[in-house]
Amino acid sequence: MKKHKKVAIYPGSFDPVTNGHIDILERSKKLFDKVICAVGVNSSKNPLFSLEEKLDMLYHTVPEGVGIDRFDGLLVDYAKKVKKDYKAKQMIIIRGLRLTTDFEYEDLMFFNNAKLDSSIETIFLPSKQELLHINSSIVRDVAKMNKDYIKDLDVPDYVKKKLIEFVKYGKK
Ligand code: COA
């Protein structure tokens, strides 16, 4: 495997990926030698899409050059594994920040991850103003409650197609 100095992981549930996530990935690509978008498990969430469906949506939408992966267990353990695989000098966790309401939760996540492994750095990227409103729960709600609004959602076209399939055929 190629050596990369600064490897960044962008972890999340991506249920589904939105234009907000894509924007963070596009900007992160310019900052690090390698960026990996990694689907993890948030044990407090009940996903709409299966892991395979989430990965499929990412394969069709993330910017060129961004790696796609999945992980079980703790994020810091996954970051350690990636560090070894890529022979990385520095591992970075990227998290997007939209509103100040995100901050408390993200700060807590940062403190906990830093306590588990202080060598892994966390970087917060603010969302673009025009994408502050979007999150995956809103997307899931629209798909479940009123399909007429799917066309207006700030998600990639491929995700819209998958949301329409969900409305037609239900949860797999
Ligand atoms: N644009 C749009 N939406 C964004 C966004 C952006 N830039 N940044 C975050 N969001 C939204 C997501 O859509 C998501 O919305 P939802 O809650 O409506 O679904 C929400 O913000 C945050 O979710 P997400 O970014 O997917 O992360 P998460 O909080 O669900 O965490 C893991 C997912 C996998 C990273 C986390 O649970 C984890 O690390 N799990 C492993 C176990 C572990 O290590 N636990 C200890 C952590 S301290």
Side-chain angles (χ1 to χ4, degrees), residues 131-162:
L131 292 169
L132 284 176
H133 60 282
I134 187 88
N135 67 35
S136 300
S137 322
I138 290 169
V139 175
R140 294 194 293 273
D141 280 352
V142 168
K144 284 183 210 159
M145 293 170 194
N146 193 338
K147 67 175 173 37
D148 294 345
Y149 294 118
I150 291 177
K151 63 179 185 332
D152 303 318
L153 289 170
D154 268 312
V155 298
D157 286 345
Y158 188 78
V159 174
K160 285 184 189 171
K161 194 176 131 205
K162 292 290 149 183

PDB file of all heavy atoms in Angstrom, residues 131-162:
ATOM      1  N   LEU A 131     -26.029  24.861   2.992  1.00  0.00           N
ATOM      2  CA  LEU A 131     -26.286  23.448   3.302  1.00  0.00           C
ATOM      3  C   LEU A 131     -26.510  23.211   4.797  1.00  0.00           C
ATOM      4  O   LEU A 131     -26.545  22.082   5.261  1.00  0.00           O
ATOM      5  CB  LEU A 131     -25.128  22.581   2.796  1.00  0.00           C
ATOM      6  CG  LEU A 131     -24.990  22.487   1.273  1.00  0.00           C
ATOM      7  CD1 LEU A 131     -23.674  21.840   0.878  1.00  0.00           C
ATOM      8  CD2 LEU A 131     -26.158  21.722   0.670  1.00  0.00           C
ATOM      9  N   LEU A 132     -26.660  24.306   5.543  1.00  0.00           N
ATOM     10  CA  LEU A 132     -26.809  24.187   6.998  1.00  0.00           C
ATOM     11  C   LEU A 132     -28.066  23.416   7.413  1.00  0.00           C
ATOM     12  O   LEU A 132     -28.103  22.785   8.458  1.00  0.00           O
ATOM     13  CB  LEU A 132     -26.890  25.584   7.635  1.00  0.00           C
ATOM     14  CG  LEU A 132     -25.586  26.364   7.772  1.00  0.00           C
ATOM     15  CD1 LEU A 132     -25.861  27.742   8.334  1.00  0.00           C
ATOM     16  CD2 LEU A 132     -24.614  25.613   8.663  1.00  0.00           C
ATOM     17  N   HIS A 133     -29.089  23.484   6.578  1.00  0.00           N
ATOM     18  CA  HIS A 133     -30.404  22.943   6.965  1.00  0.00           C
ATOM     19  C   HIS A 133     -30.498  21.425   6.834  1.00  0.00           C
ATOM     20  O   HIS A 133     -31.374  20.817   7.418  1.00  0.00           O
ATOM     21  CB  HIS A 133     -31.485  23.569   6.073  1.00  0.00           C
ATOM     22  CG  HIS A 133     -31.225  23.243   4.629  1.00  0.00           C
ATOM     23  ND1 HIS A 133     -30.268  23.895   3.890  1.00  0.00           N
ATOM     24  CD2 HIS A 133     -31.739  22.284   3.831  1.00  0.00           C
ATOM     25  CE1 HIS A 133     -30.237  23.378   2.679  1.00  0.00           C
ATOM     26  NE2 HIS A 133     -31.106  22.394   2.611  1.00  0.00           N
ATOM     27  N   ILE A 134     -29.621  20.838   6.039  1.00  0.00           N
ATOM     28  CA  ILE A 134     -29.855  19.427   5.674  1.00  0.00           C
ATOM     29  C   ILE A 134     -29.235  18.459   6.681  1.00  0.00           C
ATOM     30  O   ILE A 134     -28.159  18.696   7.199  1.00  0.00           O
ATOM     31  CB  ILE A 134     -29.330  19.143   4.230  1.00  0.00           C
ATOM     32  CG1 ILE A 134     -29.705  17.748   3.740  1.00  0.00           C
ATOM     33  CG2 ILE A 134     -27.841  19.348   4.079  1.00  0.00           C
ATOM     34  CD1 ILE A 134     -31.022  17.690   3.067  1.00  0.00           C
ATOM     35  N   ASN A 135     -29.969  17.402   6.978  1.00  0.00           N
ATOM     36  CA  ASN A 135     -29.365  16.271   7.679  1.00  0.00           C
ATOM     37  C   ASN A 135     -30.082  15.002   7.237  1.00  0.00           C
ATOM     38  O   ASN A 135     -31.140  15.073   6.596  1.00  0.00           O
ATOM     39  CB  ASN A 135     -29.330  16.447   9.207  1.00  0.00           C
ATOM     40  CG  ASN A 135     -30.707  16.438   9.821  1.00  0.00           C
ATOM     41  OD1 ASN A 135     -31.602  15.741   9.382  1.00  0.00           O
ATOM     42  ND2 ASN A 135     -30.878  17.232  10.855  1.00  0.00           N
ATOM     43  N   SER A 136     -29.544  13.862   7.583  1.00  0.00           N
ATOM     44  CA  SER A 136     -30.088  12.613   7.055  1.00  0.00           C
ATOM     45  C   SER A 136     -31.466  12.290   7.623  1.00  0.00           C
ATOM     46  O   SER A 136     -32.275  11.664   6.938  1.00  0.00           O
ATOM     47  CB  SER A 136     -29.104  11.469   7.326  1.00  0.00           C
ATOM     48  OG  SER A 136     -27.881  11.746   6.700  1.00  0.00           O
ATOM     49  N   SER A 137     -31.757  12.713   8.858  1.00  0.00           N
ATOM     50  CA  SER A 137     -33.103  12.416   9.418  1.00  0.00           C
ATOM     51  C   SER A 137     -34.194  13.085   8.608  1.00  0.00           C
ATOM     52  O   SER A 137     -35.260  12.510   8.400  1.00  0.00           O
ATOM     53  CB  SER A 137     -33.285  12.902  10.850  1.00  0.00           C
ATOM     54  OG  SER A 137     -32.177  12.752  11.594  1.00  0.00           O
ATOM     55  N   ILE A 138     -33.918  14.327   8.166  1.00  0.00           N
ATOM     56  CA  ILE A 138     -34.924  15.045   7.369  1.00  0.00           C
ATOM     57  C   ILE A 138     -35.167  14.283   6.065  1.00  0.00           C
ATOM     58  O   ILE A 138     -36.308  14.086   5.646  1.00  0.00           O
ATOM     59  CB  ILE A 138     -34.451  16.494   7.112  1.00  0.00           C
ATOM     60  CG1 ILE A 138     -34.503  17.276   8.425  1.00  0.00           C
ATOM     61  CG2 ILE A 138     -35.292  17.180   6.034  1.00  0.00           C
ATOM     62  CD1 ILE A 138     -33.843  18.622   8.388  1.00  0.00           C
ATOM     63  N   VAL A 139     -34.084  13.805   5.480  1.00  0.00           N
ATOM     64  CA  VAL A 139     -34.190  13.044   4.231  1.00  0.00           C
ATOM     65  C   VAL A 139     -35.027  11.775   4.467  1.00  0.00           C
ATOM     66  O   VAL A 139     -35.929  11.455   3.691  1.00  0.00           O
ATOM     67  CB  VAL A 139     -32.773  12.689   3.705  1.00  0.00           C
ATOM     68  CG1 VAL A 139     -32.855  11.800   2.475  1.00  0.00           C
ATOM     69  CG2 VAL A 139     -31.983  13.953   3.407  1.00  0.00           C
ATOM     70  N   ARG A 140     -34.742  11.080   5.573  1.00  0.00           N
ATOM     71  CA  ARG A 140     -35.486   9.842   5.872  1.00  0.00           C
ATOM     72  C   ARG A 140     -36.972  10.155   6.103  1.00  0.00           C
ATOM     73  O   ARG A 140     -37.840   9.428   5.632  1.00  0.00           O
ATOM     74  CB  ARG A 140     -34.892   9.156   7.108  1.00  0.00           C
ATOM     75  CG  ARG A 140     -33.479   8.623   6.908  1.00  0.00           C
ATOM     76  CD  ARG A 140     -33.064   7.669   8.012  1.00  0.00           C
ATOM     77  NE  ARG A 140     -32.929   8.293   9.317  1.00  0.00           N
ATOM     78  CZ  ARG A 140     -31.836   8.888   9.785  1.00  0.00           C
ATOM     79  NH1 ARG A 140     -30.748   8.956   9.025  1.00  0.00           N
ATOM     80  NH2 ARG A 140     -31.793   9.400  11.000  1.00  0.00           N
ATOM     81  N   ASP A 141     -37.242  11.247   6.819  1.00  0.00           N
ATOM     82  CA  ASP A 141     -38.642  11.625   7.095  1.00  0.00           C
ATOM     83  C   ASP A 141     -39.406  11.919   5.808  1.00  0.00           C
ATOM     84  O   ASP A 141     -40.540  11.479   5.642  1.00  0.00           O
ATOM     85  CB  ASP A 141     -38.698  12.874   7.996  1.00  0.00           C
ATOM     86  CG  ASP A 141     -38.469  12.510   9.450  1.00  0.00           C
ATOM     87  OD1 ASP A 141     -38.435  11.305   9.749  1.00  0.00           O
ATOM     88  OD2 ASP A 141     -38.310  13.434  10.268  1.00  0.00           O
ATOM     89  N   VAL A 142     -38.778  12.671   4.914  1.00  0.00           N
ATOM     90  CA  VAL A 142     -39.445  13.011   3.647  1.00  0.00           C
ATOM     91  C   VAL A 142     -39.758  11.725   2.878  1.00  0.00           C
ATOM     92  O   VAL A 142     -40.863  11.539   2.371  1.00  0.00           O
ATOM     93  CB  VAL A 142     -38.572  13.983   2.810  1.00  0.00           C
ATOM     94  CG1 VAL A 142     -39.092  14.107   1.393  1.00  0.00           C
ATOM     95  CG2 VAL A 142     -38.520  15.346   3.483  1.00  0.00           C
ATOM     96  N   ALA A 143     -38.790  10.806   2.823  1.00  0.00           N
ATOM     97  CA  ALA A 143     -39.006   9.549   2.077  1.00  0.00           C
ATOM     98  C   ALA A 143     -40.155   8.753   2.695  1.00  0.00           C
ATOM     99  O   ALA A 143     -40.958   8.157   1.984  1.00  0.00           O
ATOM    100  CB  ALA A 143     -37.724   8.733   2.067  1.00  0.00           C
ATOM    101  N   LYS A 144     -40.250   8.788   4.019  1.00  0.00           N
ATOM    102  CA  LYS A 144     -41.292   7.995   4.680  1.00  0.00           C
ATOM    103  C   LYS A 144     -42.659   8.682   4.598  1.00  0.00           C
ATOM    104  O   LYS A 144     -43.682   8.034   4.582  1.00  0.00           O
ATOM    105  CB  LYS A 144     -40.942   7.807   6.170  1.00  0.00           C
ATOM    106  CG  LYS A 144     -39.846   6.772   6.405  1.00  0.00           C
ATOM    107  CD  LYS A 144     -39.649   6.634   7.905  1.00  0.00           C
ATOM    108  CE  LYS A 144     -38.246   6.256   8.280  1.00  0.00           C
ATOM    109  NZ  LYS A 144     -37.882   6.577   9.633  1.00  0.00           N
ATOM    110  N   MET A 145     -42.657  10.031   4.593  1.00  0.00           N
ATOM    111  CA  MET A 145     -43.928  10.746   4.774  1.00  0.00           C
ATOM    112  C   MET A 145     -44.510  11.432   3.557  1.00  0.00           C
ATOM    113  O   MET A 145     -45.717  11.562   3.448  1.00  0.00           O
ATOM    114  CB  MET A 145     -43.773  11.769   5.911  1.00  0.00           C
ATOM    115  CG  MET A 145     -43.569  11.095   7.242  1.00  0.00           C
ATOM    116  SD  MET A 145     -43.121  12.318   8.467  1.00  0.00           S
ATOM    117  CE  MET A 145     -42.527  11.275   9.778  1.00  0.00           C
ATOM    118  N   ASN A 146     -43.658  11.954   2.668  1.00  0.00           N
ATOM    119  CA  ASN A 146     -44.220  12.608   1.475  1.00  0.00           C
ATOM    120  C   ASN A 146     -43.218  12.598   0.337  1.00  0.00           C
ATOM    121  O   ASN A 146     -42.358  13.479   0.237  1.00  0.00           O
ATOM    122  CB  ASN A 146     -44.659  14.041   1.801  1.00  0.00           C
ATOM    123  CG  ASN A 146     -45.512  14.619   0.688  1.00  0.00           C
ATOM    124  OD1 ASN A 146     -45.440  14.144  -0.452  1.00  0.00           O
ATOM    125  ND2 ASN A 146     -46.305  15.620   0.995  1.00  0.00           N
ATOM    126  N   LYS A 147     -43.365  11.638  -0.545  1.00  0.00           N
ATOM    127  CA  LYS A 147     -42.411  11.441  -1.634  1.00  0.00           C
ATOM    128  C   LYS A 147     -42.362  12.632  -2.606  1.00  0.00           C
ATOM    129  O   LYS A 147     -41.380  12.808  -3.326  1.00  0.00           O
ATOM    130  CB  LYS A 147     -42.706  10.158  -2.392  1.00  0.00           C
ATOM    131  CG  LYS A 147     -44.008  10.153  -3.175  1.00  0.00           C
ATOM    132  CD  LYS A 147     -44.124   8.888  -3.987  1.00  0.00           C
ATOM    133  CE  LYS A 147     -45.447   8.708  -4.673  1.00  0.00           C
ATOM    134  NZ  LYS A 147     -46.134   9.825  -5.229  1.00  0.00           N
ATOM    135  N   ASP A 148     -43.400  13.463  -2.588  1.00  0.00           N
ATOM    136  CA  ASP A 148     -43.435  14.594  -3.528  1.00  0.00           C
ATOM    137  C   ASP A 148     -42.280  15.576  -3.289  1.00  0.00           C
ATOM    138  O   ASP A 148     -41.917  16.344  -4.173  1.00  0.00           O
ATOM    139  CB  ASP A 148     -44.767  15.364  -3.398  1.00  0.00           C
ATOM    140  CG  ASP A 148     -45.922  14.498  -3.837  1.00  0.00           C
ATOM    141  OD1 ASP A 148     -45.672  13.459  -4.494  1.00  0.00           O
ATOM    142  OD2 ASP A 148     -47.072  14.839  -3.508  1.00  0.00           O
ATOM    143  N   TYR A 149     -41.737  15.559  -2.066  1.00  0.00           N
ATOM    144  CA  TYR A 149     -40.662  16.500  -1.748  1.00  0.00           C
ATOM    145  C   TYR A 149     -39.258  15.936  -2.037  1.00  0.00           C
ATOM    146  O   TYR A 149     -38.271  16.645  -1.891  1.00  0.00           O
ATOM    147  CB  TYR A 149     -40.709  16.921  -0.275  1.00  0.00           C
ATOM    148  CG  TYR A 149     -41.942  17.722   0.087  1.00  0.00           C
ATOM    149  CD1 TYR A 149     -42.838  17.254   1.025  1.00  0.00           C
ATOM    150  CD2 TYR A 149     -42.179  18.954  -0.505  1.00  0.00           C
ATOM    151  CE1 TYR A 149     -43.968  17.985   1.370  1.00  0.00           C
ATOM    152  CE2 TYR A 149     -43.312  19.699  -0.171  1.00  0.00           C
ATOM    153  CZ  TYR A 149     -44.196  19.204   0.757  1.00  0.00           C
ATOM    154  OH  TYR A 149     -45.304  19.922   1.084  1.00  0.00           O
ATOM    155  N   ILE A 150     -39.187  14.666  -2.438  1.00  0.00           N
ATOM    156  CA  ILE A 150     -37.855  14.056  -2.647  1.00  0.00           C
ATOM    157  C   ILE A 150     -37.040  14.859  -3.663  1.00  0.00           C
ATOM    158  O   ILE A 150     -35.850  15.099  -3.478  1.00  0.00           O
ATOM    159  CB  ILE A 150     -37.975  12.563  -3.074  1.00  0.00           C
ATOM    160  CG1 ILE A 150     -38.491  11.738  -1.892  1.00  0.00           C
ATOM    161  CG2 ILE A 150     -36.640  12.009  -3.584  1.00  0.00           C
ATOM    162  CD1 ILE A 150     -38.731  10.264  -2.191  1.00  0.00           C
ATOM    163  N   LYS A 151     -37.713  15.312  -4.699  1.00  0.00           N
ATOM    164  CA  LYS A 151     -37.007  16.050  -5.776  1.00  0.00           C
ATOM    165  C   LYS A 151     -36.340  17.333  -5.264  1.00  0.00           C
ATOM    166  O   LYS A 151     -35.373  17.813  -5.847  1.00  0.00           O
ATOM    167  CB  LYS A 151     -37.950  16.349  -6.937  1.00  0.00           C
ATOM    168  CG  LYS A 151     -39.119  17.244  -6.579  1.00  0.00           C
ATOM    169  CD  LYS A 151     -39.992  17.501  -7.796  1.00  0.00           C
ATOM    170  CE  LYS A 151     -41.110  18.490  -7.563  1.00  0.00           C
ATOM    171  NZ  LYS A 151     -41.689  18.647  -6.224  1.00  0.00           N
ATOM    172  N   ASP A 152     -36.847  17.885  -4.172  1.00  0.00           N
ATOM    173  CA  ASP A 152     -36.308  19.152  -3.661  1.00  0.00           C
ATOM    174  C   ASP A 152     -35.195  18.969  -2.621  1.00  0.00           C
ATOM    175  O   ASP A 152     -34.619  19.945  -2.142  1.00  0.00           O
ATOM    176  CB  ASP A 152     -37.431  19.970  -2.994  1.00  0.00           C
ATOM    177  CG  ASP A 152     -38.570  20.232  -3.968  1.00  0.00           C
ATOM    178  OD1 ASP A 152     -38.275  20.538  -5.131  1.00  0.00           O
ATOM    179  OD2 ASP A 152     -39.743  20.098  -3.558  1.00  0.00           O
ATOM    180  N   LEU A 153     -34.919  17.728  -2.254  1.00  0.00           N
ATOM    181  CA  LEU A 153     -33.927  17.507  -1.196  1.00  0.00           C
ATOM    182  C   LEU A 153     -32.503  17.792  -1.678  1.00  0.00           C
ATOM    183  O   LEU A 153     -32.180  17.532  -2.847  1.00  0.00           O
ATOM    184  CB  LEU A 153     -33.994  16.044  -0.720  1.00  0.00           C
ATOM    185  CG  LEU A 153     -35.224  15.635   0.088  1.00  0.00           C
ATOM    186  CD1 LEU A 153     -35.242  14.113   0.259  1.00  0.00           C
ATOM    187  CD2 LEU A 153     -35.230  16.328   1.450  1.00  0.00           C
ATOM    188  N   ASP A 154     -31.670  18.271  -0.755  1.00  0.00           N
ATOM    189  CA  ASP A 154     -30.264  18.517  -1.079  1.00  0.00           C
ATOM    190  C   ASP A 154     -29.455  17.230  -0.942  1.00  0.00           C
ATOM    191  O   ASP A 154     -28.624  17.078  -0.032  1.00  0.00           O
ATOM    192  CB  ASP A 154     -29.705  19.614  -0.160  1.00  0.00           C
ATOM    193  CG  ASP A 154     -29.853  20.975  -0.793  1.00  0.00           C
ATOM    194  OD1 ASP A 154     -29.496  21.108  -1.981  1.00  0.00           O
ATOM    195  OD2 ASP A 154     -30.354  21.891  -0.115  1.00  0.00           O
ATOM    196  N   VAL A 155     -29.759  16.299  -1.826  1.00  0.00           N
ATOM    197  CA  VAL A 155     -29.002  15.031  -1.874  1.00  0.00           C
ATOM    198  C   VAL A 155     -28.627  14.780  -3.326  1.00  0.00           C
ATOM    199  O   VAL A 155     -29.295  15.297  -4.237  1.00  0.00           O
ATOM    200  CB  VAL A 155     -29.821  13.823  -1.316  1.00  0.00           C
ATOM    201  CG1 VAL A 155     -30.181  14.021   0.138  1.00  0.00           C
ATOM    202  CG2 VAL A 155     -31.078  13.564  -2.141  1.00  0.00           C
ATOM    203  N   PRO A 156     -27.583  13.972  -3.580  1.00  0.00           N
ATOM    204  CA  PRO A 156     -27.226  13.681  -4.975  1.00  0.00           C
ATOM    205  C   PRO A 156     -28.372  12.966  -5.707  1.00  0.00           C
ATOM    206  O   PRO A 156     -29.194  12.288  -5.069  1.00  0.00           O
ATOM    207  CB  PRO A 156     -26.007  12.745  -4.827  1.00  0.00           C
ATOM    208  CG  PRO A 156     -25.474  12.992  -3.453  1.00  0.00           C
ATOM    209  CD  PRO A 156     -26.655  13.351  -2.613  1.00  0.00           C
ATOM    210  N   ASP A 157     -28.399  13.103  -7.040  1.00  0.00           N
ATOM    211  CA  ASP A 157     -29.483  12.502  -7.844  1.00  0.00           C
ATOM    212  C   ASP A 157     -29.583  10.990  -7.631  1.00  0.00           C
ATOM    213  O   ASP A 157     -30.680  10.436  -7.601  1.00  0.00           O
ATOM    214  CB  ASP A 157     -29.253  12.786  -9.341  1.00  0.00           C
ATOM    215  CG  ASP A 157     -29.565  14.240  -9.665  1.00  0.00           C
ATOM    216  OD1 ASP A 157     -30.216  14.917  -8.826  1.00  0.00           O
ATOM    217  OD2 ASP A 157     -29.133  14.704 -10.738  1.00  0.00           O
ATOM    218  N   TYR A 158     -28.442  10.348  -7.471  1.00  0.00           N
ATOM    219  CA  TYR A 158     -28.473   8.885  -7.269  1.00  0.00           C
ATOM    220  C   TYR A 158     -29.214   8.543  -5.968  1.00  0.00           C
ATOM    221  O   TYR A 158     -29.945   7.562  -5.900  1.00  0.00           O
ATOM    222  CB  TYR A 158     -27.034   8.328  -7.230  1.00  0.00           C
ATOM    223  CG  TYR A 158     -27.000   6.814  -7.219  1.00  0.00           C
ATOM    224  CD1 TYR A 158     -27.198   6.089  -8.384  1.00  0.00           C
ATOM    225  CD2 TYR A 158     -26.797   6.109  -6.030  1.00  0.00           C
ATOM    226  CE1 TYR A 158     -27.191   4.692  -8.380  1.00  0.00           C
ATOM    227  CE2 TYR A 158     -26.789   4.721  -6.008  1.00  0.00           C
ATOM    228  CZ  TYR A 158     -26.976   4.019  -7.192  1.00  0.00           C
ATOM    229  OH  TYR A 158     -26.978   2.641  -7.179  1.00  0.00           O
ATOM    230  N   VAL A 159     -29.037   9.367  -4.946  1.00  0.00           N
ATOM    231  CA  VAL A 159     -29.727   9.131  -3.661  1.00  0.00           C
ATOM    232  C   VAL A 159     -31.230   9.359  -3.836  1.00  0.00           C
ATOM    233  O   VAL A 159     -32.048   8.605  -3.306  1.00  0.00           O
ATOM    234  CB  VAL A 159     -29.119  10.017  -2.540  1.00  0.00           C
ATOM    235  CG1 VAL A 159     -29.909   9.886  -1.243  1.00  0.00           C
ATOM    236  CG2 VAL A 159     -27.652   9.660  -2.319  1.00  0.00           C
ATOM    237  N   LYS A 160     -31.592  10.379  -4.632  1.00  0.00           N
ATOM    238  CA  LYS A 160     -33.027  10.619  -4.900  1.00  0.00           C
ATOM    239  C   LYS A 160     -33.636   9.375  -5.535  1.00  0.00           C
ATOM    240  O   LYS A 160     -34.734   8.950  -5.167  1.00  0.00           O
ATOM    241  CB  LYS A 160     -33.197  11.814  -5.847  1.00  0.00           C
ATOM    242  CG  LYS A 160     -32.958  13.138  -5.175  1.00  0.00           C
ATOM    243  CD  LYS A 160     -33.235  14.304  -6.101  1.00  0.00           C
ATOM    244  CE  LYS A 160     -32.759  15.587  -5.420  1.00  0.00           C
ATOM    245  NZ  LYS A 160     -32.769  16.743  -6.255  1.00  0.00           N
ATOM    246  N   LYS A 161     -32.894   8.780  -6.484  1.00  0.00           N
ATOM    247  CA  LYS A 161     -33.376   7.573  -7.174  1.00  0.00           C
ATOM    248  C   LYS A 161     -33.607   6.447  -6.149  1.00  0.00           C
ATOM    249  O   LYS A 161     -34.620   5.755  -6.177  1.00  0.00           O
ATOM    250  CB  LYS A 161     -32.305   7.168  -8.201  1.00  0.00           C
ATOM    251  CG  LYS A 161     -32.773   6.172  -9.219  1.00  0.00           C
ATOM    252  CD  LYS A 161     -31.665   5.920 -10.239  1.00  0.00           C
ATOM    253  CE  LYS A 161     -31.507   4.426 -10.379  1.00  0.00           C
ATOM    254  NZ  LYS A 161     -30.266   3.948 -10.804  1.00  0.00           N
ATOM    255  N   LYS A 162     -32.674   6.303  -5.213  1.00  0.00           N
ATOM    256  CA  LYS A 162     -32.788   5.240  -4.202  1.00  0.00           C
ATOM    257  C   LYS A 162     -33.930   5.524  -3.220  1.00  0.00           C
ATOM    258  O   LYS A 162     -34.581   4.608  -2.730  1.00  0.00           O
ATOM    259  CB  LYS A 162     -31.457   5.090  -3.430  1.00  0.00           C
ATOM    260  CG  LYS A 162     -30.330   4.554  -4.284  1.00  0.00           C
ATOM    261  CD  LYS A 162     -30.585   3.098  -4.607  1.00  0.00           C
ATOM    262  CE  LYS A 162     -30.020   2.696  -5.949  1.00  0.00           C
ATOM    263  NZ  LYS A 162     -30.295   1.318  -6.337  1.00  0.00           N
TER     264      LYS A 162
END
